[in-house]
Amino acid sequence: MISSLSARDALEGLALGDAFGERWFPLFRPAKVAFAEIRARRVPGELAWHWTDDTAMALSVYRVLTAYGAVHQEDLALAFGVTYRADAYRGYGYGMHELLPKLADEPASWRTETRELFGGEGSLGNGAAMRVAPLGAWFCADLDEVAEQAAFSAEVTHAHPEGVAGAVAVALAAAFAARGRDGDAPEGAELLAEVAGRTPAGEVREGLHRAAGVPAGTEPWRAADLLGNGQRIRAADTVPFALWSAAHHLGSLTDALWTTAEGLGDVDTTCAVTGGVVAARTGLAGVPEQWLARREALPSWVDES
Ligand code: F2R
Ligand code: MG
Ligand code: MG
């Protein structure tokens, strides 16, 4: 079935984007050097590209989908918590360090604990968006279900409406990308406008409308300047640029990732979003062997599920 194959591909692309994007952080090379190397399309020389929290959390979403065929919120909370406890050093967001240990012990508490974050506002971070592309591909046959299931997956950790909207937008983009495998589906500005039209009102949606107005050939650094590059780690600051890049590069995962990386900022996450969406269409086709050999492998259970 196309949807489960595409979801699996989206997971691979998300992990590749996360691990590739992570290499461009100042921890590994100063921003000026990173920008020059990205512009020159110089592949990071490190032999191991480790993925981060973006992939760790996407794996939990994928695991729940393969087990239940839909988002089971309490089990998703448990999976996030247990995965965190097993390996908390994947660069999780501040709010997740506070929340996830509680979910490991008492998964049903997500309903109250998640709303307590950030002074009772809930998180509007980009964490629900970064992990959701495989879900969008999974439900691609029904766009209403994509939006509903994405919101269910987001709510478990991100109670703020902007955190949820970011996830809905990314899942819809992945669904459109997956649909393009065997039929007509919108691309470029049309895709961005369609996603915006189905995303709940707010800053994420406004950013998507702006993204639809940014022409395809715009320099990526300029697009990131206009739309945000995730530097604030918020959904509204991350999703519009990552989806702009994906929407205009649906034929090539590597072109999409180089373009997104040029925006720097929260580059593991912008690349995870772009990578997940584009791979829902392309899979890993065209990705050099060297990249695949360097990216940390996914756990073996993924192939068995
Ligand atoms: N955390 C990071 N990168 C920082 C460096 C990590 C370091 N190397 C380490 O090892 O610890 N990256 C990851 O976090 C992002 C996903 O974040 P998520 O899951 O949304 O977490 P959180 O904490 O809920 O939200 C992120 C930030 O957004 C701001 N924020 C959220 N809600 C807010 C609110 N209601 N009011 C104001 N600000 C809010 C805060 O600054 C949060 O810390 C990804 O980049 C992932 O790669
Ligand atoms: Mg990360
Ligand atoms: Mg990040």
Side-chain angles (χ1 to χ4, degrees), residues 18 22 25 52-54 91 126 130 230 233 265-270:
D18 177 14
E22 178 74 1
F25 270 106
T52 74
D53 59 326
D54 308 49
N126 54 24
M130 72 190 183
I233 335 181
D266 188 1
V267 64
D268 65 324
T269 298
T270 52

Side-chain angles (χ1 to χ4, degrees), residues 18 22 25 27 52-55 57 88-100 117-131 157-158 160 163 230-235 238 266-270 272:
D18 177 14
E22 178 74 1
F25 270 106
L27 180 65
T52 74
D53 59 326
D54 308 49
T55 302
M57 296 190 96
Y89 299 98
R90 291 278 185 181
Y92 285 87
Y94 169 82
M96 298 305 106
H97 284 297
E98 193 178 326
L99 176 70
L100 299 183
L117 292 179
F118 299 100
E121 275 193 359
S123 175
L124 47 70
N126 54 24
M130 72 190 183
R131 65 194 187 212
T157 51
H158 289 65
H160 194 289
Q231 202 158 23
R232 303 182 74 199
I233 335 181
R234 297 176 175 209
T238 305
D266 188 1
V267 64
D268 65 324
T269 298
T270 52

